[in-house]
Amino acid sequence: MTETDRQLDRRLERAILGLLERRAATSSICPSDAAREVHDGDDEGWRALMEPARRAAWRLVAAGKVEVTQGGRPVKENEARGPLRIRRAGW
């Protein structure tokens, strides 16, 4: 049985929140950290999870749980270009 998109989405959201919980309150993570955490394997397959990880981050932004930043500043989804970081909301 393969994982549904919805199950993958939830796993990525939980991975993002879990990674942030295990770090200092002011720390941030890269979407690749969540992709690597969710990927089942030790190959480069996590790269295919990068876009789903970014989408998971934006859902968490909409829920008020995290902020997506570039250069240390929060950005909106339609403004974001290039590398992103994810941090807890309110920092």
Side-chain angles (χ1 to χ4, degrees):
M1 179 178 194
T2 61
E3 184 172 47
T4 67
D5 288 342
R6 187 175 196 91
Q7 289 170 325
L8 177 61
D9 289 347
R10 299 301 166 243
R11 284 183 63 208
L12 285 163
E13 290 170 9
R14 286 192 305 270
I16 290 168
L17 295 174
L19 286 164
L20 289 172
E21 283 178 13
R22 293 190 300 268
R23 302 207 177 161
T26 57
S27 293
S28 65
I29 63 167
C30 179
S32 67
D33 296 327
R36 285 182 175 100
E37 176 119 343
V38 168
H39 176 61
D40 294 325
D42 55 2
D43 59 8
E44 297 288 310
W46 62 268
R47 292 182 185 278
L49 299 176
M50 284 298 295
E51 195 53 39
R54 288 184 184 103
R55 288 193 305 266
W58 290 116
R59 285 191 302 277
L60 291 171
V61 167
K65 296 181 179 184
V66 302
E67 294 176 328
V68 171
T69 65
Q70 287 186 306
R73 297 183 146 158
V75 292
K76 295 180 182 177
E77 187 172 7
N78 63 342
E79 300 170 338
R81 300 287 180 267
L84 305 173
R85 300 290 297 174
I86 306 164
R87 67 183 182 194
R88 292 179 186 158
W91 287 96

